[in-house]
Amino acid sequence: MGKTVRLSDIAKKVGVSTVTVSKALSGQKGVSEQKRDEIRKLAADMGYQKTMVAAGQKKSYTIGVVVPENLFSGRQSYYWAYFQELSRKARDRGNLPVLEVVSEKEQDGSRVPGLIQGGQVRGIIFLGSFHEKYGKTMVDATKVPYLFLDAPGIGDGKDSIVTDNLRMAYQLTNYLFSMGHRRIGFIGTRTLTDAIDDRFLGYIKSLMAHGVQLNPAYVLDDRDPKTGDFNPERYFNIDRKDMPTAYLCSTDTSASCFAARLQQDGLTVPKDVSLAGFEDFLPDHLYGLQLTSCRVNLEEIAEKAVTTLVRKIEGTLYTPGTFEVSGTLSFGSSVKKIGKAVSFV
């Protein structure tokens, strides 16, 4: 039996990246017709088609997952939940997931992750938001198929899977309006992640739809923009004389930290302040209250991510681009109805 021909073997012969070979063989954009014909002819000459996996047979791949440290350490267990679901879906298909956490120092120094340098993985998932310059450095250095998760693609990396953060935040804020609230604030450090930025934009869109002008004093950071560490004493300073009656929090963890700070100031949820979070992966964590939130569909996102990456690795047809996966609103007891409530759509 002859040697199995891999995409990397074809790429080496042509003098292009494995990603380019994958695009050429799967009919994707981004490859000239001349180069596409050259790659297809060489693949046929090398017997690539003969080495394709038989129907129903699954191949195993080592898949790398790279995530920024400021989103993965401390109280950022949401991204740990993300990786667990990715790991589960990868293993269900017989693949081996490998994790690498990139520190802030490594991003500042443009150190390429070891998973990329070592060449021991067949595909990579970039989880979360990286610095723009660093993200481009990683993309340029990556010679295997990859995609972005929970953040839009960087540079030439156009394949990404995200939650429809803007629309869900818009609906959550609409719900707060429907419960009679007019003074609604937002909690979340903007520019830290693309997801938080989109949630903030959804909040702004709802304010505009209800004819309410943004009050900058109602927008609070929740964590250090560099380290991602939550610091309620530093960031949750409120003016009790002019305080929102409700807040949309960018994450459930933000809501939990803010509720703790409110309790220190003698205020309670939802009697004094109503809270809505985002992610809905930490049940019953507001001192006995069930938090109103948006449940992110981690299972569907992870399934689509693994399926897409495996198709890219194998050079089979897949739909490129950015895909948004809908979340589901989860109504708890953390929001109090005040004044005259209106219909919620």
Side-chain angles (χ1 to χ4, degrees):
M1 183 178 293
K3 178 183 177 182
T4 299
V5 178
R6 301 173 299 178
L7 293 180
S8 57
D9 298 325
I10 301 172
K12 186 175 182 180
K13 285 274 188 180
V14 182
V16 297
S17 69
T18 305
V19 175
T20 299
V21 174
S22 176
K23 287 182 177 180
L25 296 179
S26 59
Q28 300 172 50
K29 297 179 180 179
V31 183
S32 68
E33 287 303 316
Q34 180 179 355
K35 183 62 68 175
R36 189 187 307 276
D37 291 342
E38 178 186 353
I39 292 172
R40 285 176 172 172
K41 183 178 184 304
L42 180 60
D45 292 343
M46 295 176 67
Y48 178 72
Q49 295 296 329
K50 296 179 182 179
T51 64
M52 296 297 288
V53 181
Q57 182 182 353
K58 292 182 179 180
K59 292 187 69 174
S60 297
Y61 304 103
T62 300
I63 296 175
V65 179
V66 180
V67 61
E69 184 179 43
N70 67 340
L71 300 180
F72 204 73
S73 59
R75 302 188 64 162
Q76 296 288 352
S77 52
Y78 172 63
Y79 280 88
W80 175 245
Y82 237 123
F83 175 71
Q84 285 181 310
E85 196 60 49
L86 278 173
S87 179
R88 186 177 298 111
K89 294 300 181 182
R91 291 180 184 277
D92 285 347
R93 301 176 66 105
N95 300 300
L96 175 65
V98 180
L99 175 69
E100 180 167 359
V101 180
V102 179
S103 70
E104 188 72 22
K105 182 178 180 180
E106 289 171 325
Q107 288 202 62
D108 290 340
S110 295
R111 174 194 169 275
V112 176
L115 289 178
I116 294 176
Q117 297 182 50
Q120 69 266 43
V121 297
R122 294 295 305 277
I124 291 180
I125 294 174
F126 296 112
L127 175 58
S129 297
F130 296 84
H131 300 333
E132 183 74 16
K133 180 180 177 181
Y134 183 72
K136 290 179 180 179
T137 298
M138 289 195 302
V139 168
D140 291 343
T142 302
K143 304 304 180 185
V144 297
Y146 60 88
L147 59 80
F148 288 84
L149 196 58
D150 201 45
I154 296 175
D156 293 332
K158 304 303 181 185
D159 294 322
S160 61
I161 303 169
V162 298
T163 297
D164 54 349
N165 292 292
L166 192 153
R167 185 176 69 87
M168 298 311 301
Y170 172 70
Q171 290 190 352
L172 269 174
T173 312
N174 285 348
Y175 172 69
L176 295 176
F177 274 110
S178 78
M179 296 293 281
H181 297 276
R182 297 287 293 178
R183 300 200 314 274
I184 301 173
F186 180 87
I187 296 178
T189 298
R190 288 144 297 158
T191 74
L192 180 67
T193 70
D194 293 279
I196 291 177
D197 288 347
D198 284 345
R199 293 166 192 176
F200 177 69
L201 292 176
Y203 157 77
I204 294 293
K205 181 180 178 181
S206 180
L207 294 185
M208 294 172 61
H210 289 85
V212 175
Q213 188 173 359
L214 173 67
N215 185 339
Y218 289 176
V219 179
L220 306 177
D221 288 341
D222 60 357
R223 68 196 96 173
D224 188 284
K226 275 283 189 180
T227 65
D229 292 336
F230 285 89
N231 190 330
E233 299 299 326
R234 177 181 177 185
Y235 294 110
F236 293 150
N237 296 312
I238 55 177
D239 180 2
R240 297 186 64 164
K241 294 180 180 179
D242 181 25
M243 186 174 67
T245 60
Y247 281 93
L248 172 65
C249 303
S250 60
T251 68
D252 289 355
T253 305
S254 302
S256 179
C257 290
F258 187 55
R261 174 60 188 272
L262 290 172
Q263 190 178 56
Q264 291 178 12
D265 292 342
L267 302 173
T268 59
V269 178
K271 179 182 177 181
D272 300 300
V273 183
S274 292
L275 297 182
F278 212 103
E279 291 160 5
D280 194 36
F281 79 107
L282 294 175
D284 191 29
H285 63 298
L286 280 185
Y287 309 102
L289 291 176
Q290 183 65 38
L291 179 66
T292 292
S293 187
C294 170
R295 180 175 295 124
V296 175
N297 195 339
L298 291 181
E299 183 177 0
E300 182 178 343
I301 292 173
E303 176 67 33
K304 187 168 184 61
V306 173
T307 298
T308 300
L309 186 61
V310 168
R311 286 178 178 173
K312 292 184 71 171
I313 292 171
E314 295 180 345
T316 55
L317 187 63
Y318 81 98
T319 305
T322 297
F323 291 88
E324 292 187 341
V325 177
S326 294
T328 305
L329 296 188
S330 174
F331 302 106
S333 53
S334 64
V335 176
K336 175 185 177 182
K337 183 169 68 173
I338 65 172
K340 182 180 178 181
V342 297
S343 61
F344 168 65
V345 179

